Amino acid sequence: MDRLGQSNSVGLRHIIMALFMSLMIVVLSELSMTWLVLLFMGLGFVAAVLWSGNAKDFLFIGMMLTSSIDINKALIAKGGVYVPGLSITLMDIFFLPLLGIWLVEKMVLNRQRIRWNKMYLLPLLYVLWCWFTIGHAEDKLSSILMCINYTRYLLIFVLIADFIQRPKQLRLALFGLGGAIALHLVLVILQIATGGAFEIQGTKTATMGTKLVFENAGGMHIFRPSGFMGHPNMLADYLVFVLPLLFTLAVLGVKRIGRPVWFGVVLFFILGVATIVVTLSRGGWISFAFAIFFVLGFGYMRGIVTAQLISRLAVLGIVGMICVVIAFPAALLRITESDQRSTESRFVMMDHASLVIKRNFLTGVGISGYREAAKDNIPKSFAVLSPWYQEELLKGVVHNKYLLTMAELGLIGIVIFVLMLISFFTAVIRFKYWTDPVYFAVGLGLSAGIFGQVIFFAFDHFYGDVRITLLFVYFGLVTAVMKLQKKQIQEELTLSRQNTIQVAR
């Protein structure tokens, strides 16, 4: 009887599996290669989760891996990148299930409250103020959609800050970020090798600004890669996020992070620097330089960077720039040659934004309301521009995050925004009791990435896209690193007290 039962059971499983595979073949026959690859990777991920039995850690590392990959599917389209709609992103496939598991375990099963951290205050106030400005926004739907996006960013930040409770989870986050760097570099190589012909379905790759022509250099054509970020300037900004962290870990040395990891970090850093050069993003270059100076300055003050290392890096940097100019003259031409009115457009749009701000000083025009307000507030500087040029400028938003924020959220909004940035990029350097150099190095690298954004915000709009996701991811990681260091200090103090009591006895 047992054998018969087993035989029937196996046969039934075979029939079910055959039907399932037949159905999969029918479904997959209409999918593109991109979705076949993504489905294959997804099934492999599910198999790994089931095999390990630890769904949360796998979802977390998947979330970190995809946090910088701009593959999305629009749910509600609303004017493209300049009036963002509502989309489901690749990251959401991991983030939303993890958020649900985290909330159920914390509030239902364990009956715990989310521990309040003072670092949560300014991001919370910023998002609440965004929701408040919907009341006087002209386009209510686009404002609501943007606020939903910012609420998602806030949840990502809080989830990361609270989820990372042990060093193991911080390592998972860093390995997830490292895996993303590898994916971007592979795609950049493929894009350069094919001259931009290689594309991934689901990415919104821009066409404007991806190919430059230097007329005074014999009509030299240069392709600018974008990786998974959609535009060369966005790829450069992604590298401003991650390169300072790689640089800090490399400076930390082999002994503290291990030889295999150190070599991987150095390799990624060198390839990343080469990539930010070929993006030809001037804002990216400036922001990257400031972020590295941030690491060197505060690293020297805390003893992880020596004066000798700084001098060697200065020589290496000068030699490197000379080699870049010789091997890739487009980098120099990008500075010395015409930029097809890119700089002029930025100044005109800044003047335009200043008029919008002047007429809506305190509370702004409402989140996501800049484009509509810009049409009703035309500055005098537009009078000398051709109608075609005016129309092109009105399609976009000011390429300055600070002016854009003040135009939409007013004086109150920009004050909260600036204080939020300052609080996060200075949190690590203001904390005096770093007993673990690895924690400090990671925190310093993350802080430098945020500081790089503070500089980059002066050159671009950063309007509700994957870069804002990364900003809040970094907010969460900075908060988590500081929490781990404080926890370690507390454990060391407790152990010290226990030893003192035992000696006294």
PDB file of all heavy atoms in Angstrom, residues 181 185 239 243 246-247 250 262-277 288 316:
ATOM      1  N   ILE A 181      27.220  47.943  -8.539  1.00  0.00           N
ATOM      2  CA  ILE A 181      28.337  48.572  -9.261  1.00  0.00           C
ATOM      3  C   ILE A 181      28.803  47.671 -10.400  1.00  0.00           C
ATOM      4  O   ILE A 181      29.044  48.133 -11.522  1.00  0.00           O
ATOM      5  CB  ILE A 181      29.500  48.864  -8.293  1.00  0.00           C
ATOM      6  CG1 ILE A 181      29.069  49.879  -7.224  1.00  0.00           C
ATOM      7  CG2 ILE A 181      30.719  49.387  -9.050  1.00  0.00           C
ATOM      8  CD1 ILE A 181      30.080  50.067  -6.110  1.00  0.00           C
ATOM      9  N   LEU A 185      28.803  48.599 -14.403  1.00  0.00           N
ATOM     10  CA  LEU A 185      30.041  48.599 -15.184  1.00  0.00           C
ATOM     11  C   LEU A 185      29.936  47.674 -16.394  1.00  0.00           C
ATOM     12  O   LEU A 185      30.411  48.010 -17.484  1.00  0.00           O
ATOM     13  CB  LEU A 185      31.213  48.183 -14.296  1.00  0.00           C
ATOM     14  CG  LEU A 185      31.606  49.188 -13.201  1.00  0.00           C
ATOM     15  CD1 LEU A 185      32.704  48.605 -12.316  1.00  0.00           C
ATOM     16  CD2 LEU A 185      32.062  50.512 -13.798  1.00  0.00           C
ATOM     17  N   LEU A 239      27.795  57.449  -9.594  1.00  0.00           N
ATOM     18  CA  LEU A 239      29.201  57.221  -9.245  1.00  0.00           C
ATOM     19  C   LEU A 239      29.662  58.166  -8.139  1.00  0.00           C
ATOM     20  O   LEU A 239      30.508  57.804  -7.313  1.00  0.00           O
ATOM     21  CB  LEU A 239      30.075  57.375 -10.490  1.00  0.00           C
ATOM     22  CG  LEU A 239      29.843  56.300 -11.561  1.00  0.00           C
ATOM     23  CD1 LEU A 239      30.515  56.684 -12.875  1.00  0.00           C
ATOM     24  CD2 LEU A 239      30.345  54.950 -11.084  1.00  0.00           C
ATOM     25  N   LEU A 243      31.552  56.014  -5.407  1.00  0.00           N
ATOM     26  CA  LEU A 243      33.015  56.061  -5.460  1.00  0.00           C
ATOM     27  C   LEU A 243      33.657  56.529  -4.154  1.00  0.00           C
ATOM     28  O   LEU A 243      34.698  55.983  -3.760  1.00  0.00           O
ATOM     29  CB  LEU A 243      33.467  56.941  -6.626  1.00  0.00           C
ATOM     30  CG  LEU A 243      33.262  56.345  -8.027  1.00  0.00           C
ATOM     31  CD1 LEU A 243      33.731  57.321  -9.105  1.00  0.00           C
ATOM     32  CD2 LEU A 243      33.980  55.011  -8.167  1.00  0.00           C
ATOM     33  N   LEU A 246      33.915  53.494  -1.924  1.00  0.00           N
ATOM     34  CA  LEU A 246      34.980  52.602  -2.390  1.00  0.00           C
ATOM     35  C   LEU A 246      36.355  53.183  -2.043  1.00  0.00           C
ATOM     36  O   LEU A 246      37.257  52.457  -1.607  1.00  0.00           O
ATOM     37  CB  LEU A 246      34.868  52.395  -3.901  1.00  0.00           C
ATOM     38  CG  LEU A 246      33.643  51.639  -4.404  1.00  0.00           C
ATOM     39  CD1 LEU A 246      33.613  51.630  -5.926  1.00  0.00           C
ATOM     40  CD2 LEU A 246      33.621  50.211  -3.877  1.00  0.00           C
ATOM     41  N   PHE A 247      36.501  54.482  -2.240  1.00  0.00           N
ATOM     42  CA  PHE A 247      37.777  55.144  -1.944  1.00  0.00           C
ATOM     43  C   PHE A 247      38.124  55.020  -0.458  1.00  0.00           C
ATOM     44  O   PHE A 247      39.270  54.714  -0.097  1.00  0.00           O
ATOM     45  CB  PHE A 247      37.688  56.613  -2.361  1.00  0.00           C
ATOM     46  CG  PHE A 247      38.922  57.414  -2.055  1.00  0.00           C
ATOM     47  CD1 PHE A 247      40.070  57.265  -2.828  1.00  0.00           C
ATOM     48  CD2 PHE A 247      38.947  58.311  -1.001  1.00  0.00           C
ATOM     49  CE1 PHE A 247      41.214  57.996  -2.552  1.00  0.00           C
ATOM     50  CE2 PHE A 247      40.078  59.054  -0.715  1.00  0.00           C
ATOM     51  CZ  PHE A 247      41.212  58.891  -1.498  1.00  0.00           C
ATOM     52  N   ALA A 250      39.170  51.526   0.368  1.00  0.00           N
ATOM     53  CA  ALA A 250      40.511  51.265  -0.166  1.00  0.00           C
ATOM     54  C   ALA A 250      41.581  51.884   0.720  1.00  0.00           C
ATOM     55  O   ALA A 250      42.625  51.268   0.987  1.00  0.00           O
ATOM     56  CB  ALA A 250      40.614  51.812  -1.589  1.00  0.00           C
ATOM     57  N   TRP A 262      39.495  43.961  -0.487  1.00  0.00           N
ATOM     58  CA  TRP A 262      40.258  45.166  -0.801  1.00  0.00           C
ATOM     59  C   TRP A 262      40.594  45.241  -2.285  1.00  0.00           C
ATOM     60  O   TRP A 262      40.436  46.291  -2.915  1.00  0.00           O
ATOM     61  CB  TRP A 262      41.543  45.202   0.023  1.00  0.00           C
ATOM     62  CG  TRP A 262      42.298  46.498  -0.129  1.00  0.00           C
ATOM     63  CD1 TRP A 262      42.071  47.668   0.523  1.00  0.00           C
ATOM     64  CD2 TRP A 262      43.404  46.743  -1.013  1.00  0.00           C
ATOM     65  NE1 TRP A 262      42.957  48.635   0.122  1.00  0.00           N
ATOM     66  CE2 TRP A 262      43.794  48.093  -0.829  1.00  0.00           C
ATOM     67  CE3 TRP A 262      44.093  45.970  -1.936  1.00  0.00           C
ATOM     68  CZ2 TRP A 262      44.843  48.662  -1.531  1.00  0.00           C
ATOM     69  CZ3 TRP A 262      45.147  46.538  -2.634  1.00  0.00           C
ATOM     70  CH2 TRP A 262      45.514  47.867  -2.433  1.00  0.00           C
ATOM     71  N   PHE A 263      41.034  44.134  -2.872  1.00  0.00           N
ATOM     72  CA  PHE A 263      41.346  44.129  -4.304  1.00  0.00           C
ATOM     73  C   PHE A 263      40.099  44.397  -5.141  1.00  0.00           C
ATOM     74  O   PHE A 263      40.148  45.104  -6.154  1.00  0.00           O
ATOM     75  CB  PHE A 263      41.993  42.804  -4.708  1.00  0.00           C
ATOM     76  CG  PHE A 263      43.470  42.745  -4.446  1.00  0.00           C
ATOM     77  CD1 PHE A 263      43.992  41.886  -3.501  1.00  0.00           C
ATOM     78  CD2 PHE A 263      44.347  43.574  -5.140  1.00  0.00           C
ATOM     79  CE1 PHE A 263      45.357  41.837  -3.243  1.00  0.00           C
ATOM     80  CE2 PHE A 263      45.714  43.534  -4.900  1.00  0.00           C
ATOM     81  CZ  PHE A 263      46.223  42.658  -3.951  1.00  0.00           C
ATOM     82  N   GLY A 264      38.969  43.836  -4.731  1.00  0.00           N
ATOM     83  CA  GLY A 264      37.727  44.100  -5.435  1.00  0.00           C
ATOM     84  C   GLY A 264      37.331  45.562  -5.352  1.00  0.00           C
ATOM     85  O   GLY A 264      36.890  46.163  -6.355  1.00  0.00           O
ATOM     86  N   VAL A 265      37.489  46.156  -4.184  1.00  0.00           N
ATOM     87  CA  VAL A 265      37.161  47.568  -3.985  1.00  0.00           C
ATOM     88  C   VAL A 265      38.046  48.452  -4.863  1.00  0.00           C
ATOM     89  O   VAL A 265      37.560  49.380  -5.525  1.00  0.00           O
ATOM     90  CB  VAL A 265      37.331  47.944  -2.495  1.00  0.00           C
ATOM     91  CG1 VAL A 265      37.389  49.453  -2.304  1.00  0.00           C
ATOM     92  CG2 VAL A 265      36.184  47.364  -1.673  1.00  0.00           C
ATOM     93  N   VAL A 266      39.342  48.183  -4.884  1.00  0.00           N
ATOM     94  CA  VAL A 266      40.272  48.980  -5.693  1.00  0.00           C
ATOM     95  C   VAL A 266      39.945  48.850  -7.181  1.00  0.00           C
ATOM     96  O   VAL A 266      39.940  49.843  -7.928  1.00  0.00           O
ATOM     97  CB  VAL A 266      41.730  48.558  -5.416  1.00  0.00           C
ATOM     98  CG1 VAL A 266      42.678  49.229  -6.406  1.00  0.00           C
ATOM     99  CG2 VAL A 266      42.118  48.909  -3.987  1.00  0.00           C
ATOM    100  N   LEU A 267      39.639  47.629  -7.629  1.00  0.00           N
ATOM    101  CA  LEU A 267      39.299  47.419  -9.034  1.00  0.00           C
ATOM    102  C   LEU A 267      38.043  48.189  -9.411  1.00  0.00           C
ATOM    103  O   LEU A 267      38.012  48.885 -10.438  1.00  0.00           O
ATOM    104  CB  LEU A 267      39.096  45.920  -9.294  1.00  0.00           C
ATOM    105  CG  LEU A 267      38.640  45.545 -10.715  1.00  0.00           C
ATOM    106  CD1 LEU A 267      39.688  45.957 -11.745  1.00  0.00           C
ATOM    107  CD2 LEU A 267      38.357  44.053 -10.809  1.00  0.00           C
ATOM    108  N   PHE A 268      37.004  48.095  -8.585  1.00  0.00           N
ATOM    109  CA  PHE A 268      35.772  48.819  -8.855  1.00  0.00           C
ATOM    110  C   PHE A 268      36.006  50.327  -8.841  1.00  0.00           C
ATOM    111  O   PHE A 268      35.405  51.063  -9.643  1.00  0.00           O
ATOM    112  CB  PHE A 268      34.692  48.451  -7.833  1.00  0.00           C
ATOM    113  CG  PHE A 268      33.978  47.163  -8.139  1.00  0.00           C
ATOM    114  CD1 PHE A 268      33.115  46.606  -7.219  1.00  0.00           C
ATOM    115  CD2 PHE A 268      34.161  46.509  -9.339  1.00  0.00           C
ATOM    116  CE1 PHE A 268      32.438  45.424  -7.488  1.00  0.00           C
ATOM    117  CE2 PHE A 268      33.505  45.327  -9.626  1.00  0.00           C
ATOM    118  CZ  PHE A 268      32.638  44.776  -8.702  1.00  0.00           C
ATOM    119  N   PHE A 269      36.857  50.801  -7.933  1.00  0.00           N
ATOM    120  CA  PHE A 269      37.116  52.237  -7.857  1.00  0.00           C
ATOM    121  C   PHE A 269      37.801  52.726  -9.132  1.00  0.00           C
ATOM    122  O   PHE A 269      37.416  53.767  -9.696  1.00  0.00           O
ATOM    123  CB  PHE A 269      37.984  52.558  -6.644  1.00  0.00           C
ATOM    124  CG  PHE A 269      38.316  54.025  -6.520  1.00  0.00           C
ATOM    125  CD1 PHE A 269      37.349  54.924  -6.093  1.00  0.00           C
ATOM    126  CD2 PHE A 269      39.577  54.495  -6.838  1.00  0.00           C
ATOM    127  CE1 PHE A 269      37.648  56.283  -5.985  1.00  0.00           C
ATOM    128  CE2 PHE A 269      39.884  55.839  -6.735  1.00  0.00           C
ATOM    129  CZ  PHE A 269      38.917  56.735  -6.303  1.00  0.00           C
ATOM    130  N   ILE A 270      38.806  52.004  -9.597  1.00  0.00           N
ATOM    131  CA  ILE A 270      39.524  52.413 -10.817  1.00  0.00           C
ATOM    132  C   ILE A 270      38.578  52.412 -12.019  1.00  0.00           C
ATOM    133  O   ILE A 270      38.547  53.371 -12.814  1.00  0.00           O
ATOM    134  CB  ILE A 270      40.722  51.477 -11.072  1.00  0.00           C
ATOM    135  CG1 ILE A 270      41.770  51.656  -9.970  1.00  0.00           C
ATOM    136  CG2 ILE A 270      41.351  51.752 -12.434  1.00  0.00           C
ATOM    137  CD1 ILE A 270      42.910  50.641 -10.025  1.00  0.00           C
ATOM    138  N   LEU A 271      37.783  51.351 -12.157  1.00  0.00           N
ATOM    139  CA  LEU A 271      36.828  51.284 -13.266  1.00  0.00           C
ATOM    140  C   LEU A 271      35.764  52.370 -13.134  1.00  0.00           C
ATOM    141  O   LEU A 271      35.314  52.942 -14.143  1.00  0.00           O
ATOM    142  CB  LEU A 271      36.174  49.906 -13.312  1.00  0.00           C
ATOM    143  CG  LEU A 271      37.096  48.733 -13.673  1.00  0.00           C
ATOM    144  CD1 LEU A 271      36.342  47.408 -13.575  1.00  0.00           C
ATOM    145  CD2 LEU A 271      37.660  48.905 -15.076  1.00  0.00           C
ATOM    146  N   GLY A 272      35.359  52.656 -11.888  1.00  0.00           N
ATOM    147  CA  GLY A 272      34.361  53.695 -11.660  1.00  0.00           C
ATOM    148  C   GLY A 272      34.875  55.077 -12.028  1.00  0.00           C
ATOM    149  O   GLY A 272      34.151  55.887 -12.620  1.00  0.00           O
ATOM    150  N   VAL A 273      36.133  55.364 -11.685  1.00  0.00           N
ATOM    151  CA  VAL A 273      36.728  56.651 -12.043  1.00  0.00           C
ATOM    152  C   VAL A 273      36.810  56.779 -13.561  1.00  0.00           C
ATOM    153  O   VAL A 273      36.503  57.840 -14.134  1.00  0.00           O
ATOM    154  CB  VAL A 273      38.117  56.810 -11.408  1.00  0.00           C
ATOM    155  CG1 VAL A 273      38.829  58.047 -11.954  1.00  0.00           C
ATOM    156  CG2 VAL A 273      38.002  56.903  -9.890  1.00  0.00           C
ATOM    157  N   ALA A 274      37.212  55.713 -14.243  1.00  0.00           N
ATOM    158  CA  ALA A 274      37.256  55.736 -15.712  1.00  0.00           C
ATOM    159  C   ALA A 274      35.870  55.990 -16.293  1.00  0.00           C
ATOM    160  O   ALA A 274      35.710  56.728 -17.270  1.00  0.00           O
ATOM    161  CB  ALA A 274      37.817  54.413 -16.232  1.00  0.00           C
ATOM    162  N   THR A 275      34.852  55.403 -15.660  1.00  0.00           N
ATOM    163  CA  THR A 275      33.487  55.570 -16.149  1.00  0.00           C
ATOM    164  C   THR A 275      32.984  56.990 -15.958  1.00  0.00           C
ATOM    165  O   THR A 275      32.343  57.561 -16.851  1.00  0.00           O
ATOM    166  CB  THR A 275      32.537  54.587 -15.437  1.00  0.00           C
ATOM    167  OG1 THR A 275      32.982  53.256 -15.655  1.00  0.00           O
ATOM    168  CG2 THR A 275      31.116  54.727 -15.957  1.00  0.00           C
ATOM    169  N   ILE A 276      33.277  57.598 -14.803  1.00  0.00           N
ATOM    170  CA  ILE A 276      32.807  58.970 -14.589  1.00  0.00           C
ATOM    171  C   ILE A 276      33.510  59.940 -15.538  1.00  0.00           C
ATOM    172  O   ILE A 276      32.945  60.980 -15.911  1.00  0.00           O
ATOM    173  CB  ILE A 276      32.985  59.399 -13.111  1.00  0.00           C
ATOM    174  CG1 ILE A 276      32.076  60.579 -12.788  1.00  0.00           C
ATOM    175  CG2 ILE A 276      34.432  59.743 -12.797  1.00  0.00           C
ATOM    176  CD1 ILE A 276      32.028  60.943 -11.319  1.00  0.00           C
ATOM    177  N   VAL A 277      34.721  59.582 -15.965  1.00  0.00           N
ATOM    178  CA  VAL A 277      35.416  60.407 -16.961  1.00  0.00           C
ATOM    179  C   VAL A 277      34.680  60.343 -18.296  1.00  0.00           C
ATOM    180  O   VAL A 277      34.406  61.373 -18.923  1.00  0.00           O
ATOM    181  CB  VAL A 277      36.881  59.959 -17.122  1.00  0.00           C
ATOM    182  CG1 VAL A 277      37.516  60.646 -18.335  1.00  0.00           C
ATOM    183  CG2 VAL A 277      37.676  60.285 -15.873  1.00  0.00           C
ATOM    184  N   PHE A 288      32.417  64.823  -7.611  1.00  0.00           N
ATOM    185  CA  PHE A 288      33.294  63.720  -7.223  1.00  0.00           C
ATOM    186  C   PHE A 288      34.555  64.254  -6.535  1.00  0.00           C
ATOM    187  O   PHE A 288      34.986  63.725  -5.499  1.00  0.00           O
ATOM    188  CB  PHE A 288      33.658  62.893  -8.452  1.00  0.00           C
ATOM    189  CG  PHE A 288      34.746  61.886  -8.222  1.00  0.00           C
ATOM    190  CD1 PHE A 288      34.565  60.847  -7.324  1.00  0.00           C
ATOM    191  CD2 PHE A 288      35.953  61.983  -8.897  1.00  0.00           C
ATOM    192  CE1 PHE A 288      35.571  59.911  -7.108  1.00  0.00           C
ATOM    193  CE2 PHE A 288      36.963  61.062  -8.688  1.00  0.00           C
ATOM    194  CZ  PHE A 288      36.771  60.018  -7.788  1.00  0.00           C
ATOM    195  N   LEU A 316      49.532  61.107  -7.792  1.00  0.00           N
ATOM    196  CA  LEU A 316      48.831  60.137  -8.626  1.00  0.00           C
ATOM    197  C   LEU A 316      47.674  60.790  -9.379  1.00  0.00           C
ATOM    198  O   LEU A 316      47.422  60.478 -10.550  1.00  0.00           O
ATOM    199  CB  LEU A 316      48.312  58.994  -7.749  1.00  0.00           C
ATOM    200  CG  LEU A 316      47.697  57.790  -8.470  1.00  0.00           C
ATOM    201  CD1 LEU A 316      48.723  57.126  -9.363  1.00  0.00           C
ATOM    202  CD2 LEU A 316      47.152  56.796  -7.455  1.00  0.00           C
TER     203      LEU A 316
END
